[in-house]
């Protein structure tokens, strides 16, 4: 997902690189850093943590608690600060790239507005119970699919 997200936003940005300006570049870089961080955390969760589960269960529990907000019993260094930082990159990067795409008027403006809205709407995740907060990812997915379709079909505004 993260790798495809990187390719997708790269296509969105490079299609409108001149028209998007510095705002688009800032949004693209922030959203790219988010996808890179997500890729690293997901890789560790899928391939490294299972190997550590029997030898260092406290570390595994603390690592997984970073994203659920559970306090860790051991010192994880700077890792707990990475989750809120990644969330900030997602929100601000998606908002800036959405606004830049909207202003560039090359790709569908409604999809660009949905991208900006989807990024900011994740702030509401603290208001929803845990299983339902995943619903907030749907608008971002729809915006990226819509923009991706516009790229592939070469359809503009």
């Amino acid at each position: 997902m993260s790798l495809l997200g990187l390719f997708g936003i790269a296509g969105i940005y490079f299609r409108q690189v001149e028209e998007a300006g510095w705002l688009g570049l800032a949004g693209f870089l922030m959203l790219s850093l988010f996808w890179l961080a997500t890729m690293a955390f997901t890789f560790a969760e899928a391939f490294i943590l299972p190997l550590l589960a029997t030898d260092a269960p406290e570390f595994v529990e603390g690592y997984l608690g970073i994203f659920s907000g559970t306090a860790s019993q051991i010192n994880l260094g700077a890792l707990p600060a990475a989750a809120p930082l990644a969330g900030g990159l997602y929100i601000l990067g998606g908002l800036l790239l959405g606004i830049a795409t909207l202003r560039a008027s090359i790709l569908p403006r409604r999809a660009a507005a949905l991208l900006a809205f989807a990024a900011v709407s994740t702030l509401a995740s603290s208001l929803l119970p845990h299983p339902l907060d995943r619903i907030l990812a749907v608008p971002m997915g729809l915006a990226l699919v819509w923009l991706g379709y516009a790229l592939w079909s070469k359809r503009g505004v």
Side-chain angles (χ1 to χ4, degrees):
M1 172 192 77
S2 298
L3 186 61
L4 293 176
L6 275 171
F7 286 136
I9 63 168
I12 292 166
Y13 174 69
F14 289 121
R15 172 70 173 85
Q16 58 187 359
V17 67
E18 290 183 18
E19 292 83 1
W22 288 101
L23 190 67
L25 176 63
F28 168 69
L29 291 176
M30 287 180 185
L31 211 47
S32 294
L33 286 173
F34 164 77
W35 288 120
L36 287 170
T38 301
M39 196 178 331
F41 276 104
T42 305
F43 179 86
E45 190 174 333
F47 298 109
I48 297 172
L49 293 185
L51 301 174
L52 296 174
T54 55
D55 295 333
E58 297 86 16
F59 177 82
V60 173
E61 186 177 324
Y63 184 93
L64 295 174
I66 291 172
F67 305 101
S68 65
T70 307
S72 175
Q73 305 245 343
I74 64 169
N75 183 6
L76 295 172
L79 281 178
L85 179 63
L89 289 170
Y90 176 81
I91 293 167
L92 194 55
L95 177 64
L96 293 179
L97 186 61
I99 291 171
T101 302
L102 188 66
R103 291 175 58 197
S105 293
I106 292 178
L107 296 171
R109 296 175 58 84
R110 289 183 185 163
L114 183 59
L115 177 67
F117 169 78
V120 175
S121 72
T122 58
L123 292 171
S125 66
S126 61
L127 304 174
L128 296 172
H130 178 63
L132 295 178
D133 64 354
R134 304 294 182 223
I135 293 172
L136 294 173
V138 172
M140 179 62 77
L142 291 174
L144 292 175
V145 166
W146 191 351
L147 290 166
Y149 175 75
L151 281 173
W152 281 99
S153 66
K154 299 199 186 326
R155 292 187 183 194
V157 178

